[in-house]
């Protein structure tokens, strides 16, 4: 059932053509090789919705294996010494922990992200968004193109998560470059240059947060870093590396994908003018439109899981120690679940897309992301009714984190 893949050579996450439009190759994978060995990374690529969904919930797999075995026991080399600052940071956030540590970390942080807590942020998010859209309108008032990503898509989620954590305004410009450099490690086989950048950013970001957390322990404020630095939940506390790992995870996860859903989402609307018209006319709601935009062009294309006990998928045995690569972007286009899956249908219901994952690592920030995206699209539609594309955008290099370099628009 590994099948043969008509377009095997075309599955090339390092090629700009594939990054620009991976969806035809995904269709081939789903049809002909739903469990496919990608020799260049040694991973098992899984492309159907039912399989991706099931494996995300299957406790025989994990984001990490270090809670049950050493690298050597799993048949892997330990990471190179010089990458240690990155891995320390990464391995101390909840995303790369498994129970019981994951349960403990997620419980400590989750209170800040319940739908009710997030709803309390709504007025602040609305007024901040109004300000950004005013700046966009000013910048484009003479008819010149303005970059929607730099003016609205990026500043909004960065400001929201920085505000929640209590990062002083003067330091916020540091966050995006650190985050971008660290996230370079989440692409498949990052280059030596990308690794060096990630290590440098990890060291700087860690030093910065250690100092900030120490300050907040002395003088706690009304922010999440203070809360995490002083939290004691049923006798439980975050260690220093966990505190830093958690803050970096929240800062990075808290904006990378949201920026890209805004950029990719508007780009999708410009390419589908009749759907944009339905949205502008109020025929479909912003809430359902956002879910469909996240399905149709998935912002985080691939997540990996380690196999902790042998599994079998469509008759293929995948042994302990191997890795599966779950194609979220492909699962979201599976016609077994989404009728007419390649069509953008902003009113699609139901819409069980997998963009926020499933199982124990399901996105903690989903209510916050939905608030930010809803506010941003609603405000843009209302205040910039003539928004148009000024030039064809270019995709950034990465395949896993799918986003545009810039999106030049006129207002
Ligand atoms: C549209 C925007 C977003 C998308 C598409 C998204 C997607 C995801 C996905 C797919 C995962 C799980 C990865 C896996 O299963 O391996 C995840 C986890 C996570 N996300 Fe988001 N995310 C978004 C926004 C946010 C925001 C705004 C926050 C806020 C802080 C956030 C915080 C987190 C955290 C903390 C985790 C780890 C959860 C855990 O391991 O239990 N995300 N996100």
């Amino acid at each position: 059932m590994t099948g043969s893949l008509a377009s095997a050579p075309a599955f090339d996450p390092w090629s700009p053509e594939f990054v620009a439009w991976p969806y035809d190759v995904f269709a081939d994978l789903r049809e002909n090789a739903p469990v496919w060995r990608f020799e260049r990374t040694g991973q098992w690529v899984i492309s159907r919705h039912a399989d991706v969904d099931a494996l995300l919930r299957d406790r025989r797999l994990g984001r990490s294996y270090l809670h049950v075995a050493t690298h050597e026991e799993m048949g892997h080399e330990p990471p190179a010494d010089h990458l240690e600052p990155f891995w320390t940071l990464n391995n101390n956030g909840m995303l790369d922990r498994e129970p019981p540590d994951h349960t403990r970390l997620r419980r400590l942080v989750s209170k800040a992200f319940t739908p009710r807590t997030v709803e309390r942020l709504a007025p602040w998010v609305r007024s901040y968004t109004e300000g950004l859209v005013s700046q966009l309108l000013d910048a484009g008032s003479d008819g010149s193109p303005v970059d929607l990503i730099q003016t609205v898509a990026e500043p909004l989620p960065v400001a929201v998560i920085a505000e929640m954590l209590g990062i002083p305004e003067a330091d916020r410009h540091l966050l995006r470059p650190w985050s971008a450099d660290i996230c370079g490690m989440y692409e498949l086989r990052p280059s030596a240059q990308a690794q060096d950048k990630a290590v440098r950013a990890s060291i700087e970001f860690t030093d910065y947060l250690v100092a900030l957390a120490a300050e907040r322990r002395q003088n706690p404020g009304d922010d999440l870093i203070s809360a995490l630095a002083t939290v004691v939940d049923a006798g439980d506390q975050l260690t220093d590396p966990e505190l830093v790992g958690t803050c970096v995870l929240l800062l990075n996860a808290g904006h990378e994908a949201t920026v890209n859903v805004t950029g990719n989402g508007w780009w999708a609307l410009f390419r589908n003018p009749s759907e944009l018209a339905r949205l502008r006319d109020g025929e479909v709601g912003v809430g359902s439109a956002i879910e469909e935009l996240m399905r149709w062009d998935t912002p985080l294309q691939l997540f990996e899981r380690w196999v902790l006990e042998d599994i079998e998928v469509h008759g293929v045995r995948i042994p302990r120690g191997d890795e599966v690569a779950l194609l979220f972007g492909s699962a979201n286009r599976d016609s077994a679940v989404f009728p007419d899956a390649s069509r953008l249908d902003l009113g699609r219901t139901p819409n069980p897309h997998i963009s926020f994952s499933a199982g124990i690592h399901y996105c903690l920030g989903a209510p916050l992301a939905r608030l930010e995206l809803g506010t941003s699209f609603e405000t843009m539609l209302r205040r910039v009714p003539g928004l148009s594309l000024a030039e064809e955008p270019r995709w950034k290099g990465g395949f896993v984190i799918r986003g545009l370099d810039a999106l030049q628009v006129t207002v």
Side-chain angles (χ1 to χ4, degrees), residues 85-309:
F86 165 79
W87 285 112
T88 300
L89 202 56
N90 186 75
N91 295 349
N92 275 295
M94 78 184 82
L95 184 54
D96 280 278
R97 292 289 189 87
E98 289 295 310
D101 279 350
H102 172 265
T103 320
R104 183 172 66 86
L105 290 174
R106 187 159 168 132
R107 194 185 54 229
L108 288 173
V109 184
S110 57
K111 285 187 198 114
F113 292 93
T114 62
R116 199 192 291 166
T117 330
V118 165
E119 204 38 52
R120 270 191 237 129
L121 288 171
W124 188 90
V125 172
R126 269 199 298 275
S127 90
Y128 197 84
T129 309
E130 293 287 349
L132 294 174
V133 173
S134 297
Q135 285 172 30
L136 175 88
L137 286 165
D138 279 356
S141 59
D142 59 357
S144 58
V146 193
D147 180 8
L148 183 69
I149 294 193
Q150 254 179 41
T151 47
V152 177
E154 187 175 293
L156 177 63
V158 173
V160 172
I161 194 68
E163 189 72 20
M164 284 180 81
L165 279 154
I167 305 288
E169 255 184 86
D171 300 338
R172 291 185 188 171
H173 66 281
L174 298 165
L175 302 176
R176 180 76 173 145
W178 278 337
S179 168
D181 286 351
I182 289 171
C183 288
M185 286 296 276
Y186 302 126
E187 294 298 332
L188 297 171
R189 291 210 317 221
S191 67
Q193 195 199 10
Q195 295 184 15
D196 289 346
K197 280 180 157 185
V199 168
R200 202 173 321 122
S202 301
I203 295 170
E204 289 175 14
F205 213 164
T206 301
D207 289 350
Y208 174 80
L209 285 167
V210 166
L212 191 60
E215 192 189 305
R216 295 291 155 82
R217 249 190 217 110
Q218 295 297 320
N219 298 306
D222 183 20
D223 58 72
L224 195 49
I225 294 185
S226 300
L228 293 173
T230 52
V231 72
V232 179
D233 187 51
D236 200 0
Q237 247 180 321
L238 290 163
T239 63
D240 274 353
E242 284 171 351
L243 173 66
V244 173
T246 299
C247 292
V248 169
L249 172 66
L250 292 174
L251 286 162
N252 293 355
H255 78 272
E256 284 291 338
T258 319
V259 173
N260 291 330
V261 174
T262 314
N264 304 355
W266 276 104
W267 171 223
L269 292 172
F270 293 137
R271 277 184 294 166
N272 291 272
S274 57
E275 287 301 296
L276 176 55
R278 287 174 77 204
L279 186 58
R280 281 187 170 140
D281 296 349
E283 193 187 313
V284 288
V286 170
S288 96
I290 287 164
E291 302 303 316
E292 177 67 348
L293 292 170
M294 278 196 282
R295 177 196 76 84
W296 194 74
D297 206 0
T298 306
L300 300 168
Q301 286 281 335
L302 177 155
F303 283 94
E304 292 146 343
R305 291 290 187 270
W306 291 104
V307 178
L308 309 176
E309 284 172 42

Side-chain angles (χ1 to χ4, degrees), residues 1-3 34-35 44 48 51 311-318:
M1 195 55 184
T2 49
V35 183
W44 295 95
R48 289 187 186 164
D51 300 331
I311 56 169
E312 202 174 290
V313 188
H314 295 297
V316 179
R317 187 181 150 272
I318 307 183

Side-chain angles (χ1 to χ4, degrees), residues 342-363:
S342 54
R343 191 167 94 77
L344 181 76
D345 171 5
L346 298 181
R348 187 181 290 276
T349 34
N351 193 343
H353 69 72
I354 222 152
S355 300
F356 286 122
S357 193
I360 65 165
H361 293 286
Y362 179 83
C363 179

